Amino acid sequence: MRHFLTLKDFTKEELLEMITLAQKIKVQTKQKKFVPYMQNQTLGMIFEKSSTRTRVSFETGIYQLGGVGLFLSSNDIQLGRGEPMKDTARVISRMVDMVMIRTFNQSDIEEFAQFSKVPVVNGLTDSYHPVQVMTDYMTMIEYGKDQNPVVAYVGDGNNMAHSWLMMSAKMGFELRIATPKDYACDESIVADALELAKISGAKIIINNDPKEAVIGCDVVTTDTWVSMGQEDEKEARLKAFDGYIVDEDMMNMAKDDAIFLHCLPAYRGYEVSEEVFEEHSDEIFDEAENRLHAQKGIMVWLDSHR
Ligand code: CP
Ligand code: NVA
């Protein structure tokens, strides 16, 4: 049985198998052909943080695969009142067929997985957002940006930056990350990515210069400067990220046909300008829709590997 907690645990070939499956199921879905790959299965969805896309895409996704999703907010289940993660795992995994969790610490989802009888999918932690970056890669393929692309991530060294690090390290493409000095990526995740990059041939460049990162790149991406759980740091963060907005000037330094991706929610006037957001809304909302398709590929793959 496999858990989808970080891309680190999968080979490039396995990740591409999931995306290929997602592409196939997307075509079927567009034709209104709902193949019951996961008939009568229940997906437990535990949320310790808010969500729009993750909740709607997983719940709709499992339904379209012939199963049903259970929305379990930590405000409503005993986890929120202190029942241990490992007990929650041992109870829920006896009743459902797969679990998705959105939580804070990566170690919490790892503990859940350790005690779970069924596959666990990471729906975002403070460290990673692997289903999002799978979606982003699927979107890059659709836009013809998967052949030796250069991807520039500008902004916070957060869960999305870490997920891009892993994706680049696995797929072997060039990734340039620019963050303010005090908001750099986690050192151990960078070290892991650099180690994996030796095998895949990925070029990973990390610095504090957004313009240098973006010059001549194929894909520009960013994320909020204030992630969930960091609300108290908002004022300091907004100051520190001055100069990191992806605006027209910055996009003009990328290739003429560069695409812009954003996992959403976006905060216009902060990490991205209104103009850039609206100019690139086609790819941004294709990316958002692809959450539904990419996650079906991941769930069906995990289901067939137990
Ligand atoms: N991108 C993403 O995960 O969005 P939600 O927080 O709305 O789920
Ligand atoms: N980095 C953001 C991503 C939201 C989808 C957060 O963790 O809040």
Side-chain angles (χ1 to χ4, degrees):
M1 180 177 74
R2 307 282 295 275
H3 301 292
F4 195 81
L5 307 185
T6 156
L7 302 190
K8 215 163 58 178
D9 299 338
F10 296 91
T11 63
K12 172 180 178 174
E13 289 67 34
E14 288 173 332
L15 297 173
L16 289 173
E17 274 172 28
M18 295 175 203
I19 293 176
T20 303
L21 205 45
Q23 290 166 327
K24 182 174 109 183
I25 301 173
K26 179 172 180 176
V27 171
Q28 293 169 338
T29 303
K30 293 284 178 192
Q31 296 166 342
K32 301 276 174 228
K33 251 174 39 198
F34 299 104
V35 183
Y37 292 97
M38 293 180 68
Q39 191 155 33
N40 297 330
Q41 295 201 32
T42 302
L43 175 72
M45 308 186 302
I46 301 175
F47 283 90
E48 294 204 84
K49 292 176 175 173
S50 307
S51 166
T52 298
R53 280 142 290 269
T54 305
R55 175 177 180 183
V56 176
S57 55
F58 271 107
E59 197 163 328
T60 304
I62 189 70
Y63 175 71
Q64 292 181 346
L65 292 171
V68 66
L70 275 188
F71 174 67
L72 304 165
S73 160
S74 59
N75 295 328
D76 303 327
I77 61 173
Q78 300 289 6
L79 181 68
R81 297 183 68 249
E83 185 168 18
M85 203 48 120
K86 59 184 179 184
D87 294 355
T88 308
R90 283 182 283 192
V91 172
I92 292 180
S93 72
R94 281 173 181 245
M95 299 178 186
V96 305
D97 304 284
M98 199 171 282
V99 174
M100 182 244 89
I101 310 182
R102 167 167 286 196
T103 186
F104 292 87
N105 298 319
Q106 184 74 12
S107 57
D108 284 342
I109 198 168
E110 281 164 6
E111 185 184 2
F112 191 103
Q114 189 192 333
F115 286 91
S116 173
K117 286 179 180 295
V118 299
V120 178
V121 181
N122 184 348
L124 180 147
T125 61
D126 291 345
S127 303
Y128 294 113
H129 198 358
V131 293
Q132 179 69 57
V133 84
M134 287 288 279
T135 302
D136 296 358
Y137 195 73
M138 179 175 172
T139 310
M140 280 169 59
I141 296 173
E142 290 179 356
Y143 279 83
K145 302 291 180 198
D146 59 317
Q147 299 303 315
N148 300 316
V150 177
V151 177
Y153 175 96
V154 175
D156 190 15
N158 63 12
N159 41 16
M160 279 312 301
H162 296 154
S163 303
W164 278 107
L165 274 169
M166 280 303 152
M167 190 52 106
S168 151
K170 287 287 172 182
M171 295 298 164
F173 61 77
E174 179 169 339
L175 175 68
R176 305 176 190 158
I177 294 188
T179 71
K181 279 199 174 60
D182 293 338
Y183 296 93
C185 293
D186 181 282
E187 281 177 16
S188 71
I189 293 176
V190 172
D192 282 350
L194 291 176
E195 204 50 44
L196 288 167
K198 286 184 194 161
I199 304 165
S200 68
K203 191 169 165 191
I204 295 176
I205 302 163
I206 301 178
N207 68 21
N208 312 110
D209 186 345
K211 296 208 167 70
E212 205 180 303
V214 167
I215 288 173
C217 74
D218 302 281
V219 179
V220 181
T221 186
T222 184
D223 184 18
T224 180
W225 295 339
V226 187
S227 284
M228 289 179 278
Q230 297 172 338
E231 290 75 11
D232 294 350
E233 302 170 25
K234 185 170 176 181
E235 210 180 317
R237 284 179 163 270
L238 297 191
K239 272 197 200 123
F241 284 86
D242 189 31
Y244 280 77
I245 185 170
V246 179
D247 57 12
E248 293 283 324
D249 286 348
M250 206 181 282
M251 276 311 286
N252 285 339
M253 302 181 80
K255 281 196 184 141
D256 286 346
D257 64 348
I259 60 168
F260 173 79
L261 297 176
H262 194 309
C263 65
L264 305 178
Y267 299 89
R268 293 162 168 85
Y270 294 96
E271 77 273 10
V272 60
S273 70
E274 171 78 22
E275 295 72 33
V276 167
F277 188 92
E278 291 304 332
E279 192 183 319
H280 293 274
S281 58
D282 281 354
E283 56 254 33
I284 295 170
F285 291 105
D286 281 349
E287 174 191 10
E289 179 192 326
N290 278 339
R291 287 293 300 277
L292 173 68
H293 309 298
Q295 289 159 191
K296 284 185 192 167
I298 294 166
M299 288 192 284
V300 172
W301 191 95
L302 291 173
D303 184 43
S304 62
H305 287 76
R306 57 168 128 202

